[in-house]
């Protein structure tokens, strides 16, 4: 038993012992040891084996310290300092990064369209082509020989300066190769007397492979039939792949010198066939290039053939009116296809929802629209607005009831009309419904799905026998939010210098001290890139006494004080004499004294200006594109807002302290060049009626004559103290009433005014 136990232990421990022993044996065999005597006095013996290089042979013991020379002792060892030499690094190459990710990744746009036009047709058919396809396609270029003096607005025109057709076609291809060959995958060339269904040509290139040498259009035999192959007829347009043009690029000059032809489309076809061996095709990868030849004096609205309905291009188009008729016809076809697809998708959603976990409840009404917003607390509950056909019971100014007008009135009328159309679709031909009146109307804006409506309609129902009776029907409607579109805007920066213009009259002098104090802390001390300019307005009597009694002498003294306090700051002023103050007349003088690219901010002296607003002024004012009219926050009359209370030192932006004055248009940000262009357009009207300069303000001038985007929005950073405005009755009636209403609404909120009236009545009763 003991022997068997010993054997079992040996079996488990034996391999380990054998492995350790074998390891020690091999390590001893691979190392040769040198005997070293150990002396108490620390001196080595004479029998140490020394190699030829003066160092010990063999390996040192683990507890020994290696020495540089066995003759030297540890006491004689001196450390040696190795000098540091800096490694000379080669100059790194600057890494070039593309401006756009698409450029760095080699991504390209799908389609560029080139329209072949002429000097005689660019203002007629060319404009019609631009209006029908320009907003559907990303890039549309118009190629022409000789350019007119006046180019139609909104069109990108390339003029080659020659009327020779073959030369122009050569220049067209060369221009595309030089400027756009690395940016687009497909190039579509079409004449201006052809209508192109833009969505269909985009769908075609989206399904074609970009690596093919494709020359696609309407194939035609060459004139005479001597040359093999087919070219694409230019009247119906043709599609060229980027791969094909890159292969053609080295031979383009040869085509210009060697190929003779009377037609540009035939010349291009011969060039492509000769040097790329690619023929024109009307079908590729199972996709067909459909086209239709329109008969002379034919009416597009009466064409009902299938080839016409499937056409990508229709040729020839005789005049712009025919082009617009074609566009309307094909747009209606595409719109009906969209409605059919929506109905099909809705039916599929209903079928799928039946087998869903929640059953039919998972299919929200209307089918395909986002479900309603679900509030998490009572503070998130959306508010319904009650309305009738004449009044709405939710007003901007807080009144319980106000007249339904403007866009709200049109909205309600449109919703009722749609409700009647849909009800008649549902019950025809059995019943015919007529609206008698709107009993109740409710609407609310759901940020998830759009505007929701609930209508209680009193209807007259007429059956097929002519019998009628009155019923009440409740209907629900939704005006869904459309697809969000990002509108491209020109590039602007926050580095632009702003010229702040402050007009001053005799009544405004008391506000100058506070204005300069606030402006100095917000602009002078922070070195804001802005120049403050005062406009002193004198009437004729005050102007005559300016040497003896200058009404603005105290203001000029304050300006000098701030200029001494801030040596880098200069505050210019301009003096104007006039009987009737007018914004346009003032700006005419200021505009002439500043460069064309100056950015103006026209403001009041009781406005608090800070850097945050000035940056928004820079960003929202876009040269030759947009002007900005901010809506400032104006304090209420402190005697009303803080009746029988101590007036606060600072006013917060709360509804009881003030309001955004939507009736004030005094502040404006715009470029001098935009103002000068607007004034130029006013010349004809001013010659007929000079009083127009006194009856219009800057806002109405830009709105009526500029053609620019007039951007108006609330501006919380633009704070204005309460002041009573002196309304000028010589301005237009609308501007005068706007001023009067602004004064009235600036007194206080309705609740504050009601409390004052209540206290007054209480006092009178006692």
């Amino acid at each position: 038993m003991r022997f068997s136990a010993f054997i079992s232990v040996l079996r488990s421990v034996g391999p380990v012992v054998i492995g350790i022993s074998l390891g020690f044996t091999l390590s001893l065999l691979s190392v040769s040891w040198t005997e070293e005597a150990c002396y108490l006095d620390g001196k080595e013996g004479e029998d140490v084996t020394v190699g030829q290089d003066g160092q010990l042979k063999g390996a040192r013991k683990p507890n020994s310290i290696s020495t540089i020379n066995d003759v030297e002792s540890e006491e004689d060892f001196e450390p040696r300092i190795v000098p540091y030499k800096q490694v000379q690094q080669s100059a790194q190459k600057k890494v070039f990064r593309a401006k756009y990710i698409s450029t760095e990744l080699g991504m390209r746009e799908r389609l560029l369209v080139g329209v072949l036009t002429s000097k005689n047709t660019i203002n007629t058919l060319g404009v019609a082509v631009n209006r029908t396809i320009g907003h559907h396609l990303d890039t549309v270029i118009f190629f022409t020989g000789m350019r007119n003096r006046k180019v139609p607005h909104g069109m990108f025109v390339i003029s080659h300066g020659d009327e020779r057709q073959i030369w122009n076609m050569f220049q067209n291809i060369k221009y595309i190769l030089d400027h756009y060959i690395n940016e687009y995958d497909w190039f579509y060339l079409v004449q201006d007397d052809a209508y192109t269904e833009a969505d269909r040509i985009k769908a075609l290139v989206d399904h074609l492979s970009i690596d093919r040498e494709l020359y696609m259009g309407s194939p035609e035999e060459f004139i005479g039939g001597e040359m093999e192959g087919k070219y694409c007829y230019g009247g119906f347009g043709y599609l060229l792949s980027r791969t094909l043009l890159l292969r053609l690029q080295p031979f383009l000059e040869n085509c210009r010198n060697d190929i003779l032809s009377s037609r540009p489309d035939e010349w291009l076809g011969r060039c492509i066939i000769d040097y790329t061996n690619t023929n024109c095709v009307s079908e590729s990868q199972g996709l067909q290039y459909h086209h239709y030849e329109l008969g002379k004096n034919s009416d597009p609205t009466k064409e009902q053939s299938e080839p016409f309905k499937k056409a990508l291009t229709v040729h020839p188009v005789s005049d712009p009116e025919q082009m617009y008729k074609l566009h309307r016809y094909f747009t209606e076809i595409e719109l009906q296809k969209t409605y059919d697809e929506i109905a099909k998708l809705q039916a599929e959603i209903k079928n799928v929802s039946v087998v869903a976990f929640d059953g039919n409840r998972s299919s929200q009404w209307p089918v395909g629209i986002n479900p309603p917003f679900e509030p998490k607390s009572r503070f998130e509950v959306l508010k319904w607005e009650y309305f009738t056909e004449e009044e709405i019971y939710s007003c901007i100014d807080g009144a319980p009831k106000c007249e339904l007008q403007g866009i709200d009135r049109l909205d309600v009328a449109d919703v009722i009309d749609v409700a009647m159309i849909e009800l008649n679709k549902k019950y025809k031909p059995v019943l015919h419904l007529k609206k008698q009146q709107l009993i109740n109307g409710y609407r609310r804006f759901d940020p998830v799905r759009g505007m929701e409506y609930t209508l209680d309609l009193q209807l007259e129902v007429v059956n097929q026998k002519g019998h009628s009776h009155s019923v009440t029907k409740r209907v629900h409607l939704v005006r869904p939010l459309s697809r969000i579109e990002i509108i491209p805007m020109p590039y602007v920066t926050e580095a632009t210098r702003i010229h702040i213009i402050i007009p001053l009259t005799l009544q405004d002098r008391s506000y100058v001290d506070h204005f300069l104090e606030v402006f100095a802390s917000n602009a002078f001390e922070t070195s804001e890139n802005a120049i403050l300019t005062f406009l002193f307005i004198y009437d004729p009597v005050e102007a005559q006494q300016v040497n003896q009694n200058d009404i603005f002498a105290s203001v000029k003294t304050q300006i000098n004080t701030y200029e001494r306090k801030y040596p880098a700051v200069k505050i210019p002023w301009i003096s104007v004499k006039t009987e009737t103050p007018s914004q346009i007349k003032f700006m005419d003088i200021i505009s002439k004294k500043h460069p064309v690219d100056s950015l103006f901010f026209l403001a009041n002296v009781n406005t608090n200006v800070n850097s945050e607003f000035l940056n928004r002024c820079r960003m929202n004012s876009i040269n030759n594109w947009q002007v900005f009219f901010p809506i400032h926050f104006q304090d209420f009359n402190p005697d009303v807002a803080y009746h029988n209370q101590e007036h606060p030192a600072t006013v917060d932006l709360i509804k009881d302290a003030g309001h955004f004055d939507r009736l004030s248009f005094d502040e404006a940000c715009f470029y001098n060049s935009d103002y000068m262009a607007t004034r130029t357009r006013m010349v004809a009207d001013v010659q007929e009626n000079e009083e127009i300069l006194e009856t219009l303000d800057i806002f109405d001038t830009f709105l009526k004559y500029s053609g620019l985007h007039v951007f108006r929005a609330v501006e919380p950073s633009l704070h204005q103290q309460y002041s009573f405005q002196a309304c000028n009755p010589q301005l237009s009636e609308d501007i005068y009433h706007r001023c009067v209403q602004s004064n009235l609404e600036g007194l206080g909120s309705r609740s504050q005014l009601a409390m004052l009236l209540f206290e007054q009545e209480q006092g009178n009763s006692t």
Side-chain angles (χ1 to χ4, degrees):
M1 293 295 291
R2 292 181 180 178
F3 180 76
S4 61
F6 174 76
I7 293 297
S8 63
V9 172
L10 186 63
R11 283 181 180 178
S12 59
V13 178
V16 177
V17 174
I18 293 172
I20 295 174
S21 302
L22 184 61
F24 275 113
T25 304
L26 291 176
S27 62
L28 291 173
L29 290 175
S30 62
V31 177
S32 62
W33 289 91
T34 303
E35 293 185 3
E36 297 179 358
C38 187
Y39 298 94
L40 294 175
D41 57 356
K43 295 183 179 180
E44 296 181 355
E46 300 291 333
D47 57 345
V48 179
T49 305
V50 181
Q52 293 179 357
D53 55 355
Q55 295 199 2
L56 295 176
K57 287 184 177 181
R60 65 181 176 87
K61 294 180 180 179
N63 62 345
S64 64
I65 300 175
S66 64
T67 59
I68 297 176
N69 197 326
D70 62 333
V71 179
E72 297 177 353
S73 63
E74 291 186 359
E75 288 80 359
D76 298 332
F77 173 76
E78 294 182 0
R80 182 165 56 94
I81 299 175
V82 179
Y84 171 74
K85 294 182 180 180
Q86 186 174 6
V87 179
Q88 296 292 334
Q89 296 182 353
S90 59
Q92 294 182 355
K93 294 182 179 180
K94 186 177 181 181
V95 179
F96 172 76
R97 295 300 300 271
K99 184 176 181 181
Y100 301 104
I101 296 176
S102 59
T103 305
E104 189 165 333
L105 297 179
M107 299 169 61
R108 293 182 293 271
E109 298 290 340
R110 293 294 290 176
L111 179 65
L112 180 142
V113 176
V115 181
L116 311 181
T117 183
S118 65
K119 177 181 178 181
N120 298 326
T121 60
I122 189 171
N123 289 304
T124 53
L125 288 172
V127 172
V129 171
N130 185 55
R131 289 181 176 177
T132 53
I133 71 173
H135 56 286
H136 291 273
L137 301 169
D138 294 330
T139 306
V140 180
I141 302 176
F142 290 82
F143 294 106
T144 181
M146 299 298 293
R147 171 183 280 187
N148 288 336
R149 292 183 178 179
K150 187 177 181 181
V151 177
H153 180 69
M155 294 173 60
F156 183 22
V157 180
I158 300 298
S159 176
H160 302 308
D162 200 321
E163 289 295 337
R164 292 176 294 172
Q165 294 184 350
I166 305 301
W167 170 261
N168 286 336
M169 178 58 72
F170 165 76
Q171 291 293 338
N172 296 341
I173 302 300
K174 187 176 184 300
Y175 185 86
I176 290 174
L177 288 169
D178 292 341
H179 296 86
Y180 295 103
I181 195 63
N182 294 321
E183 298 181 18
Y184 294 88
D185 291 324
W186 296 97
F187 302 90
Y188 178 66
L189 298 180
V190 65
Q191 297 175 182
D192 61 358
D193 62 344
Y195 172 76
T196 302
E197 217 298 319
D199 292 329
R200 294 181 184 178
I201 197 69
K202 285 197 299 183
L204 176 65
V205 299
D206 284 342
H207 292 82
L208 290 172
S209 177
I210 62 175
D211 60 348
R212 295 198 176 189
E213 296 177 3
L214 186 61
Y215 179 33
M216 193 175 191
S218 173
E220 293 284 342
E221 298 283 349
F222 285 96
I223 298 175
E226 298 178 357
M227 184 175 177
E228 296 182 359
K230 294 183 178 181
Y231 73 97
C232 289
Y233 175 56
F236 296 113
Y238 39 88
L239 197 62
L240 304 171
S241 68
R242 176 176 178 269
T243 308
L244 177 68
L245 289 180
L246 285 174
R247 186 177 174 189
L248 183 67
Q249 187 173 13
F251 311 105
L252 194 60
E253 287 290 341
N254 297 342
C255 294
R256 182 172 68 93
N257 298 327
D258 301 339
I259 298 177
L260 299 177
S261 179
S262 59
R263 297 182 52 176
D265 51 359
E266 186 176 309
W267 173 86
L268 180 61
R270 289 184 60 185
C271 180
I272 292 174
I273 293 172
D274 288 350
Y275 291 99
T276 67
N277 197 27
T278 303
N279 282 285
C280 177
V281 296
S282 61
E283 188 271 337
S284 178
Q285 302 177 39
L287 300 173
Q288 192 75 24
Y289 187 91
H290 297 283
H291 61 276
Y292 186 81
E293 185 173 357
L294 199 62
K296 189 176 181 180
N297 298 326
S298 62
D299 187 359
T301 59
K302 296 180 180 179
E303 294 283 347
Q304 298 296 329
S305 62
E306 285 300 318
F308 178 71
K309 293 181 179 180
K310 294 180 180 179
L312 290 171
T313 59
V314 178
H315 173 80
V317 179
S318 57
D319 54 60
E321 183 179 355
Q322 195 175 46
M323 185 81 73
Y324 297 136
K325 287 182 179 179
L326 285 166
H327 185 62
R328 178 176 180 177
Y329 178 82
F330 282 100
T331 302
E332 289 175 350
I333 291 177
E334 294 300 318
L335 187 62
Q336 187 59 45
K337 285 183 179 179
T338 304
Y339 286 146
D340 294 341
E341 290 177 3
I342 291 174
K344 183 179 178 180
L345 290 173
Q346 288 178 338
E348 291 179 358
I349 292 173
K350 289 181 180 178
N351 293 335
V352 172
S353 64
V354 173
V355 297
F357 177 75
D358 293 332
N360 286 329
R361 288 184 299 172
S362 63
S363 176
Q364 297 286 342
W365 179 89
V367 179
I369 305 298
N370 293 330
F373 170 76
E374 295 184 2
K376 304 299 182 183
S377 65
R378 63 186 180 90
F379 301 104
E380 297 179 358
V381 175
L382 302 178
K383 182 179 68 174
W384 287 90
E385 296 178 350
Y386 179 81
F387 62 87
T388 63
E389 293 183 80
E390 302 295 333
E391 297 170 330
I392 186 168
Y393 290 77
S394 177
C395 307
I396 296 177
D397 58 359
K401 180 177 69 172
C402 54
E403 182 182 359
L404 192 65
Q405 57 185 354
I407 192 66
D408 291 321
R409 193 180 190 90
L410 295 175
D411 175 58
V412 170
D414 180 61
V415 168
I416 294 175
D417 291 342
V418 171
M420 294 306 304
I421 292 172
E422 295 299 324
L423 285 172
N424 279 303
K425 280 184 182 179
K426 183 176 181 180
Y427 294 107
K428 275 186 177 181
V430 179
L431 299 174
H432 178 70
L433 306 178
K434 297 180 181 178
K435 180 183 76 74
Q436 292 181 335
Q437 66 171 340
L438 173 65
I439 301 175
N440 300 305
Y442 308 90
R443 71 177 184 181
R444 72 173 182 181
F445 178 73
D446 190 329
V448 176
R449 61 190 336 208
M451 188 69 80
E452 298 179 345
Y453 303 87
T454 299
L455 306 179
D456 294 331
L457 295 170
Q458 185 173 344
L459 307 173
E460 180 185 1
V461 182
V462 182
N463 60 18
Q464 292 178 321
K465 296 181 179 180
H467 301 297
S468 64
H469 66 281
S470 180
V471 298
T472 300
K473 187 75 174 178
R474 168 164 285 192
V475 294
H476 302 276
L477 301 95
V478 175
R479 192 189 297 275
L481 294 173
S482 60
R483 180 181 178 183
I484 298 174
E485 181 180 359
I486 298 177
I487 301 175
M489 297 290 285
Y491 178 73
V492 293
T493 67
E494 295 182 351
T496 307
R497 173 173 290 181
I498 298 182
H499 296 266
I500 303 172
I501 311 299
I502 306 295
L504 280 182
T505 60
L506 177 63
Q507 293 78 17
D508 298 328
R509 293 180 303 176
S510 58
Y511 300 102
V512 174
D513 188 23
H514 176 75
F515 174 82
L516 285 174
E517 181 181 352
V518 174
F519 190 83
S521 61
N522 292 334
F524 294 161
E525 295 179 0
T526 59
S527 300
E528 181 68 40
N529 190 14
I531 297 178
L532 177 63
T533 302
F534 283 101
L535 184 67
F536 297 141
I537 303 172
Y538 297 87
D539 63 24
V541 177
E542 295 167 348
Q544 290 178 358
Q545 302 175 355
V546 68
N547 293 327
Q548 295 81 16
N549 182 21
D550 187 356
I551 59 173
F552 296 110
S554 60
V555 178
K556 295 175 182 178
T557 302
Q558 287 178 294
I559 291 175
N560 293 331
T561 302
Y562 277 94
E563 287 182 342
R564 288 193 298 269
K565 184 177 181 181
Y566 303 97
V569 173
K570 297 297 179 184
I571 307 176
W573 70 70
I574 302 172
S575 298
V576 178
K577 180 182 73 172
T578 179
E579 294 181 358
T580 55
S582 168
Q583 281 187 329
I584 298 179
K585 289 183 177 181
F586 299 157
M587 283 309 306
D588 286 346
I589 298 172
I590 295 170
S591 176
K592 295 176 182 178
K593 295 181 179 294
H594 289 81
V596 177
D597 59 347
S598 299
L599 174 59
F600 292 134
F601 169 47
L602 189 62
N604 283 336
V605 69
N606 55 346
T607 302
N608 296 336
V609 182
N610 56 27
S611 298
E612 183 179 352
F613 166 73
L614 293 178
N615 284 333
R616 274 201 281 270
C617 179
R618 295 182 180 102
M619 300 301 291
N620 292 328
S621 304
I622 306 174
N623 192 14
N624 198 29
W625 185 269
Q626 179 173 283
V627 294
F628 178 43
F629 285 83
I631 302 175
H632 64 255
F633 183 85
Q634 183 175 357
D635 298 342
F636 285 140
N637 187 334
D639 295 333
V640 176
Y642 309 102
H643 183 60
N644 295 331
Q645 301 177 29
E646 184 179 354
H647 297 180
T650 58
V651 177
D652 296 328
L653 270 69
I654 56 177
K655 64 178 183 179
D656 291 332
H659 70 127
F660 287 102
D661 192 357
R662 295 179 175 86
L663 299 174
S664 176
F665 297 85
D666 294 336
E667 291 87 8
C669 295
F670 54 89
Y671 279 88
N672 192 13
S673 58
D674 292 335
Y675 177 78
M676 295 171 66
T678 304
R679 284 289 284 116
T680 303
R681 297 187 181 97
M682 290 179 61
V683 171
D685 291 349
V686 173
Q687 289 177 351
E688 295 179 3
N689 181 17
E690 293 184 358
E691 294 182 356
I692 194 174
L693 298 177
E694 300 176 357
T695 57
L696 289 179
D697 58 4
I698 295 293
F699 177 78
D700 290 329
T701 302
F702 276 111
L703 197 63
K704 186 175 182 181
Y705 295 101
S706 70
L708 303 173
H709 296 272
V710 179
F711 179 48
R712 184 152 166 81
V714 294
E715 182 51 66
S717 297
L718 199 62
H719 191 183
Q720 191 172 113
Q721 294 177 303
Y722 171 77
S723 64
F724 183 83
Q725 304 176 56
C727 300
N728 187 358
Q730 295 182 352
L731 295 175
S732 66
E733 185 177 355
D734 290 340
I735 298 176
Y736 177 75
H737 285 297
R738 225 161 48 198
C739 176
V740 173
Q741 188 67 23
S742 175
N743 282 332
L744 295 176
E745 293 185 3
L747 290 174
S749 65
R750 287 179 173 269
S751 59
Q752 292 167 351
L753 294 172
M755 287 300 299
L756 286 177
L757 290 175
F758 178 74
E759 291 180 6
Q760 184 177 359
E761 290 182 358
Q762 289 288 337
N764 293 335
S765 62
T766 56

